């Protein structure tokens, strides 16, 4: 959802987080990744303006921050 909200492809988030596009594909398939890899991807999304929101009865989610430039 975060990638779609920003309009980023797998190569975009891979480049911005310093991981391979294959790693992004593995994440999106639900495969297990190292916590350091997940942290790098999360930081890249947050730098792009995504806020991760906690579970609130409907499950966790994301939204664009009000300060987001989206790129």
């Amino acid at each position: 959802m975060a990638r779609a909200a920003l309009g980023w492809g797998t190569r975009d988030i891979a480049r911005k987080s310093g991981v391979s596009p294959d790693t992004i594909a593995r994440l999106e398939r639900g495969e297990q990744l190292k916590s350091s890899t997940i942290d790098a991807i999360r930081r890249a999304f947050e730098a792009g303006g995504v806020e991760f929101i906690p579970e609130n009865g409907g499950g966790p989610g994301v939204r664009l921050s009000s300060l987001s430039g989206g790129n």
Side-chain angles (χ1 to χ4, degrees):
M1 287 183 355
R3 192 168 61 75
L6 294 172
W8 290 355
T10 56
R11 290 183 181 163
D12 297 315
I13 188 57
R15 184 180 66 253
K16 292 170 189 287
S17 61
V19 302
S20 74
D22 288 340
T23 298
I24 300 301
R26 288 178 34 231
L27 173 71
E28 292 183 348
R29 285 193 303 265
E31 294 181 22
Q32 191 75 22
L33 300 177
K34 293 183 206 177
S35 60
S36 60
T37 301
I38 294 170
D39 290 343
I41 295 166
R42 181 180 181 124
R43 283 192 304 273
F45 280 129
E46 289 172 341
V50 167
E51 291 181 10
F52 289 86
I53 52 178
E55 187 169 336
N56 61 0
V62 297
R63 66 177 167 221
L64 291 177
S65 72
S66 59
L67 304 175
S68 172
N71 294 316

